[in-house]
Amino acid sequence: NVWLGVPLIICGRTIGVMAVQDYANDNAYGAEEQRILTFIAEQTALAIERKRAEYELRVALAAEKELGELKGSFVSMVSHEFRTPLGVILSAAENLNAYLDRLPSAQRQRQLQHIMQATRHMGHLVENVLLLGRAEAGKLDCKPAPMDLSGFCERLANQVSSAEADRCPGHFRSGNVAQARGDESLLRQILTN
């Protein structure tokens, strides 16, 4: 019983062994058989590496396609989100322009409030787009620091409720939160979204 084995090597790293065995002839394998088996092992290792590279390329292409689809739907959503407040601003501005002298003070004030709310909404949308752009570019800074997480969340919930004029009431309840670390700026962005 005699055997001959050679390593399967990819990028300088052994990933396995290619071996042959003969049960009858103790002199079955010599230098020529080792050379042939080494050649076969090299070709096999190249084929394995090509298949692995093909697989990784397919995975990368699928991820790129998914990212492209996500970007497309994001652009569509942002466009839609911008159209609504722009329509509110334009409508309120046209009303003020056409009827300023005839509108009662309360209605003028309401039109101005619509413009301010829509403008704030657009500002938040722009901040979100910029945040996503920084995240995608790998330039999103996260600077965690010790913080009172319960107090932060309670203040934020009150601010959001106040800004929404109680049209969209929210309730915040917290258990016992020990030490917390976080980036208040990023958390504010995440939670207000």
Side-chain angles (χ1 to χ4, degrees), residues 46-60:
L46 286 173
I48 291 170
E49 181 57 25
R50 269 194 308 274
K51 284 297 179 185
R52 185 179 296 161
E54 281 177 26
Y55 171 76
E56 289 173 1
L57 182 60
R58 274 196 303 273
V59 167

Side-chain angles (χ1 to χ4, degrees), residues 37-50:
L37 190 59
T38 299
F39 174 77
I40 293 171
E42 288 169 352
Q43 296 307 306
T44 302
L46 286 173
I48 291 170
E49 181 57 25
R50 269 194 308 274

Side-chain angles (χ1 to χ4, degrees), residues 61-182:
L61 287 173
E64 186 67 29
K65 181 180 177 188
E66 183 181 352
L67 181 61
E69 289 169 359
L70 285 172
K71 282 181 179 179
S73 72
F74 175 74
V75 166
S76 175
M77 180 200 65
V78 167
S79 297
H80 173 74
E81 288 291 321
F82 269 99
R83 269 188 239 122
T84 303
L86 280 173
V88 168
I89 291 168
L90 182 59
S91 173
E94 285 174 343
N95 285 337
L96 287 171
N97 187 46
Y99 306 109
L100 183 65
D101 54 342
R102 289 178 280 182
L103 285 175
S105 177
Q107 285 184 334
R108 284 194 307 256
Q109 192 61 35
R110 199 168 36 252
Q111 294 297 320
L112 288 171
Q113 285 175 348
H114 289 314
I115 290 172
M116 289 185 301
Q117 286 173 340
T119 304
R120 275 194 291 275
H121 181 65
M122 288 179 66
H124 292 303
L125 289 173
V126 169
E127 284 300 315
N128 289 339
V129 170
L130 293 173
L131 179 70
L132 288 171
R134 286 194 313 267
E136 189 174 303
K139 295 180 180 178
L140 187 62
D141 289 332
C142 179
K143 298 175 183 164
M147 64 183 292
D148 172 13
L149 186 58
S150 291
F152 171 77
C153 290
E154 187 172 353
R155 285 189 307 278
L156 189 58
N158 290 336
Q159 288 169 3
V160 169
S161 181
S162 203
E164 291 297 320
D166 295 320
R167 286 185 312 244
C168 184
H171 303 283
F172 174 74
R173 192 172 50 194
S174 171
N176 237 355
V177 178
Q179 286 287 53
R181 289 181 56 79

Side-chain angles (χ1 to χ4, degrees), residues 11-40:
C11 297
R13 203 184 85 193
T14 301
I15 63 160
V17 174
M18 184 170 282
V20 291
Q21 193 168 4
D22 190 306
Y23 293 97
N25 182 359
D26 287 345
N27 298 320
Y29 307 115
E32 180 62 15
E33 289 77 15
Q34 182 175 2
R35 188 185 65 72
I36 292 171
L37 190 59
T38 299
F39 174 77
I40 293 171

